[in-house]
């Protein structure tokens, strides 16, 4: 760990990010997070104060604030307005903002929050695949056309009907926070007949409604395990706050290692920090799911960016991880 931190420090020095007088706002860190177990790294980092501890090692007292939002659009707006320093959202919103700010604010990824399979769940018995949804159905996503769930659904639609119809299911998609969408799927009897969610909401739907079933898995569209939820920031924040930035990345890495080594404690932390009423046994099964990995190096993200460019959703084509993620020894081996 000390060796990695020395390497990172040397990298930042080489980039000129530790120049005297460049860090006027050091010590302030406002993070936008959303709902679900995919934000467990942040929950654990908060509870264990990993970021603050890493900051003290670097000689800076960091005040960490977490802002709860819903949907990539709201998160992106908060980042661009300066309301938050780090955005937590899907890799789809990252690509959107990376493309829009290229050559200006230069928003890039900081770290992954791990690999999680996302499920499109329906309570409509007539729906066996995405081709069975009709105008009478409504699919809940965090943000229509922007969230990673919506982008993966577009990718699946392109594979089903061709690139010209990639946004075909956007017309029956609605923006709804995961907790509300899950409640609608479990209860039934509402216009919401589909929900492209994330853990633990998708697992709760499958457990609490016998009519609920999986229509689509994100890993099947993405071609294997993938980091669908990430953290990103502006180039200015990284340059102006090198010690805070470094402590943040180190704290996340510590949190990932903690969860992997202590899944039971991590489950308890999630329940305590979020106040969620999630069944603990169900929660633990998610954390220990072999398809879930807690790590900050992104995996299998480039494909979505290439798809978004191919259909014209973004103008700039990402060709390598370094295009849309900041350089850091911990994420350099990602994809």
């Amino acid at each position: 760990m000390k060796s990695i931190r020395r390497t990172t420090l040397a990298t930042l020095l080489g980039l000129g990010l530790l120049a005297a007088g460049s860090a006027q706002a050091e010590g302030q860190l406002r993070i936008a997070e959303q709902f679900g177990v995919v934000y467990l790294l942040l929950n654990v980092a908060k509870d264990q104060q990993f970021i603050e501890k890493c900051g003290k090692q670097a000689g800076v007292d960091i005040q960490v604030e977490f802002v709860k939002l819903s949907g990539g659009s709201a998160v992106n707006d908060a980042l661009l307005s300066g309301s938050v320093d780090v955005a937590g959202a899907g890799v789809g919103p990252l690509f959107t903002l990376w493309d829009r700010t290229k050559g200006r604010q230069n928003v890039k990824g900081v770290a992954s929050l791990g690999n999680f399979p996302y499920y499109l769940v329906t309570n409509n018995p007539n729906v066996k695949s995405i081709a069975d949804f009709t105008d009478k159905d409504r699919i809940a996503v965090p943000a229509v056309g922007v969230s990673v769930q919506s982008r993966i659904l577009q990718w699946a639609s392109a594979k089903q009907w061709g690139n010209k119809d990639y946004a075909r299911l956007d017309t029956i998609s609605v923006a709804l926070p995961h907790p509300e969408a899950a409640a609608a799927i479990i209860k039934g009897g509402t216009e919401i007949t589909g929900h492209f969610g994330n853990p633990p909401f998708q697992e709760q739907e499958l457990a609490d409604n016998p009519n609920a079933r999986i229509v689509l898995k994100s890993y099947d569209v993405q071609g294997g395990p993938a980091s669908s939820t990430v953290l990103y920031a502006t180039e200015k924040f990284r340059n102006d706050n090198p010690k805070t930035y470094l402590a943040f990345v180190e704290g996340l890495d510590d949190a990932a290692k903690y969860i992997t080594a202590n899944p039971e404690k991590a489950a308890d932390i999630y329940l305590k920090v979020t106040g969620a009423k999630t069944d603990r046994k169900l929660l633990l099964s998610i954390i220990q799911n072999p398809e879930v990995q807690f790590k900050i190096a992104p995996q299998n993200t480039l494909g979505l960016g290439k798809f978004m460019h191919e259909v014209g959703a973004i103008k700039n084509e990402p060709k390598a991880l370094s295009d849309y993620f900041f350089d850091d020894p911990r994420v350099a081996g990602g994809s």
Side-chain angles (χ1 to χ4, degrees):
M1 179 63 70
K2 290 181 179 178
S3 175
I4 292 176
R5 288 174 178 167
R6 283 197 297 269
T7 301
T8 306
L9 184 60
T11 300
L12 292 176
L13 284 168
L15 292 172
L17 297 181
L18 292 182
S22 66
Q24 296 178 355
E26 286 277 25
Q28 175 181 279
L29 182 60
R30 300 162 300 170
I31 306 167
E33 61 176 339
Q34 299 188 61
F35 300 94
V37 182
V38 295
Y39 293 92
L40 185 57
L41 259 69
L42 294 179
N43 302 146
V44 169
K46 178 180 181 180
D47 182 77
Q48 297 295 303
Q49 295 190 316
F50 284 136
I51 300 169
E52 293 89 339
K53 291 174 183 176
C54 291
K56 288 187 182 298
Q57 293 178 7
V60 58
D61 290 324
I62 302 176
Q63 300 295 320
V64 184
E65 178 185 353
F66 293 88
V67 180
K68 185 68 68 97
L69 298 172
S70 178
S73 296
V75 171
N76 283 355
D77 288 344
L79 184 65
L80 290 182
S81 69
S83 300
V84 299
D85 305 304
V86 175
V91 70
L94 164 60
F95 279 121
T96 298
L97 210 53
W98 165 75
D99 180 64
R100 198 200 314 178
T101 64
K102 189 175 176 64
R104 297 193 294 275
Q105 297 100 322
N106 290 323
V107 170
K108 288 188 176 183
V110 175
S112 164
L113 286 171
N115 295 346
F116 298 86
Y118 289 2
Y119 304 151
L120 172 56
V121 176
T122 185
N123 59 10
N124 183 344
N126 297 319
V127 175
K128 310 297 183 184
S129 73
I130 62 171
D132 297 324
F133 283 110
T134 71
D135 290 341
K136 295 181 179 180
D137 293 293
R138 292 296 180 269
I139 302 171
V141 293
V144 179
V146 178
S147 64
V148 67
Q149 287 88 350
S150 191
R151 290 301 188 189
I152 292 174
L153 187 56
Q154 290 176 347
W155 199 358
S157 296
K159 292 182 178 182
Q160 178 76 33
W161 296 294
N163 283 355
K164 62 182 178 60
D165 287 327
Y166 81 94
R168 180 168 176 167
L169 296 178
D170 284 4
T171 59
I172 62 169
S173 296
V174 295
L176 202 62
H178 289 313
E180 295 177 28
I185 292 295
I186 293 170
K187 180 181 179 181
T190 75
E191 67 171 0
I192 304 299
T193 57
H195 175 213
F196 209 155
N198 67 13
F201 306 105
Q202 57 196 25
E203 286 80 7
Q204 289 174 324
E205 293 163 0
L206 295 170
D208 296 344
N209 186 337
N211 295 320
R213 72 181 63 81
I214 299 173
V215 178
L216 185 72
K217 294 183 178 181
S218 62
Y219 281 6
D220 291 341
V221 182
Q222 294 167 296
S227 306
S228 293
T229 305
V230 295
L231 298 162
Y232 46 99
T234 63
E235 184 178 57
K236 177 175 173 54
F237 172 74
R238 183 178 187 251
N239 289 348
D240 288 353
N241 303 275
K243 293 182 180 179
T244 301
Y245 182 94
L246 178 58
F248 177 54
V249 177
E250 289 178 345
L252 287 175
D253 198 31
D254 289 345
K257 291 179 172 62
Y258 180 94
I259 297 168
T260 302
N262 306 280
E264 298 260 4
K265 292 181 180 179
D268 292 334
I269 288 173
Y270 177 81
L271 295 174
K272 179 178 70 173
V273 171
T274 65
K277 304 301 181 182
T278 310
D279 179 78
R280 189 180 184 277
K281 184 178 180 181
L282 178 68
L283 178 60
L284 194 58
S285 70
I286 295 170
I287 295 173
Q288 295 179 316
N289 182 347
E291 290 190 316
V292 171
Q293 293 95 35
F294 294 95
K295 58 182 183 178
I296 66 170
Q299 181 176 344
N300 199 14
T301 60
L302 184 58
L304 181 60
K306 286 186 173 296
F307 161 74
M308 290 173 63
H309 176 261
E310 186 177 323
V311 297
I314 57 177
K315 295 179 180 179
N316 296 287
E317 180 183 3
K319 297 181 179 179
L321 186 73
S322 57
D323 288 338
Y324 55 96
F325 260 81
F326 289 119
D327 292 331
D328 188 281
R330 293 173 183 78
V331 303
S335 59

